[in-house]
Amino acid sequence: MATHVITGAGSGIGAAVARRLHARGDDLVLHARDAGRAKELAAEFPGARTLVGDLADPDRLSWAFSHQSLPDRVDSLLHVAGVVDLGRVGDLTPKSWRHQLNVNLVAPAELTRHLLPQLRASRGHVIFVNSGAGLAAHADWSAYAASKHGLKALADSLRAEEHASGVRVTSVYPGRTASPMQAKVHQQEGKDYDPSKWIDPESVATAIVMSLDLPRDAEVNDLTVRPGR
Ligand SMILES: NC(=O)c1ccc[n+]([C@@H]2O[C@H](COP(=O)([O-])OP(=O)(O)OC[C@H]3O[C@@H](n4cnc5c(N)ncnc54)[C@H](OP(=O)(O)O)[C@@H]3O)[C@@H](O)[C@H]2O)c1
């Protein structure tokens, strides 16, 4: 049975992916920002283990993990957690830049570093949930887009480095998806939010699980998922 480590499993796309993998009986290790959130996730996904560490503070992840047992086996690491804060370059503060870069880019690199030995041993799979903003940056999106452009670079370098060890690396680039993050984006844009206009997180989960389940003769490197209506 495969073991998946998932960040962001408490909401939106990550929750949809976790529900899918849980329903088919795979082993889950759900990352949570703190012990309270970990308890909630453990109650929601019976049998799942948890791993605690605040992605906003990647410098402390090493310390946090040294006080918990990391899973012995990891078949896939799914980086789904993320944050967004819109603003013009003339207004965004270093605090906002750092927060988005830490959660969206530095923490995924650090978590990957900690779990690479297990991923190499299982010839596993790392999936990065990126964004259309990781391919093109628009006005008001600089810090988020920079973090996601960086995440693409992280994924591409990791793929080149680990190909020989059999680790597969996939970046998924969803368009606007109906989740609490998208509700916040609409609020920051001053627009009414109608979730029915955007991608269902379940559809992004389908794309992610398809990438995971692809037979070993093939690897999805990059997958763009756009709203279909
Ligand atoms: N929604 C979209 O339109 C869209 C489009 C393209 C790409 N994406 C990307 O898709 C991914 C999932 O987004 P979503 O829409 O599902 O967002 P979401 O519903 O807001 O969920 C974000 C998740 O990230 C976790 N998280 C945030 N900060 C964290 C921290 N400091 N430490 C640990 N966990 C933290 C949250 O934890 P809690 O549950 O504890 O709050 C939550 O589970 C993100 O990487 C996002 O950039 C989203």
Side-chain angles (χ1 to χ4, degrees):
M1 200 189 302
T3 300
H4 311 279
V5 177
I6 310 176
T7 71
S11 179
I13 296 169
V17 173
R19 281 194 299 270
R20 242 11 122 73
L21 298 174
H22 188 253
R24 72 188 200 185
D26 286 4
D27 277 336
L28 301 187
V29 179
L30 304 177
H31 171 272
R33 63 173 78 222
D34 58 33
R37 203 71 185 97
K39 214 170 154 191
E40 289 169 7
L41 288 176
E44 205 175 323
F45 296 95
R49 286 168 285 167
T50 57
L51 183 62
V52 175
D54 185 356
L55 301 180
D57 194 357
D59 284 345
R60 283 177 66 86
L61 285 176
S62 214
W63 177 86
F65 296 159
S66 71
H67 290 76
Q68 307 168 66
S69 49
L70 288 177
D72 294 335
R73 181 180 175 93
V74 179
D75 296 283
S76 79
L77 169 58
L78 296 105
H79 296 284
V80 193
V83 290
V84 67
D85 189 21
L86 301 190
R88 300 179 77 80
V89 175
D91 299 322
L92 280 176
T93 60
K95 189 176 174 196
S96 176
W97 273 95
R98 263 196 302 273
H99 184 60
Q100 293 176 80
L101 288 166
N102 279 342
V103 174
N104 297 351
L105 175 59
V106 183
E110 178 64 345
L111 188 53
T112 303
R113 183 171 78 91
H114 278 276
L115 294 176
L116 255 182
Q118 292 90 321
L119 286 159
R120 286 181 186 134
S122 66
R123 297 170 64 80
H125 199 152
V126 184
I127 295 200
F128 294 95
V129 176
N130 201 299
S131 164
L135 299 170
H138 299 291
D140 297 330
W141 287 80
S142 59
Y144 178 78
S147 71
K148 294 294 192 178
H149 274 67
L151 193 67
K152 176 185 187 301
L154 166 60
D156 290 348
S157 294
L158 181 70
R159 184 180 306 110
E161 291 168 12
E162 298 301 327
H163 187 77
S165 56
V167 175
R168 299 193 289 181
V169 178
T170 300
S171 289
V172 179
Y173 300 88
R176 290 183 184 239
T177 303
S179 74
M181 175 182 280
Q182 193 51 235
K184 176 184 176 182
V185 165
H186 274 68
Q187 185 236 318
Q188 290 199 318
E189 291 175 328
K191 293 179 184 161
D192 289 336
Y193 176 56
D194 175 1
S196 70
K197 283 170 81 175
W198 308 116
I199 306 170
D200 187 328
E202 295 293 338
S203 301
V204 183
T206 299
I208 292 171
V209 173
M210 179 277 291
S211 306
L212 268 185
D213 288 347
L214 201 66
R216 281 225 60 95
D217 60 291
E219 169 182 8
V220 176
N221 289 353
D222 297 288
L223 187 59
T224 298
V225 185
R226 304 296 305 163
R229 52 192 168 229

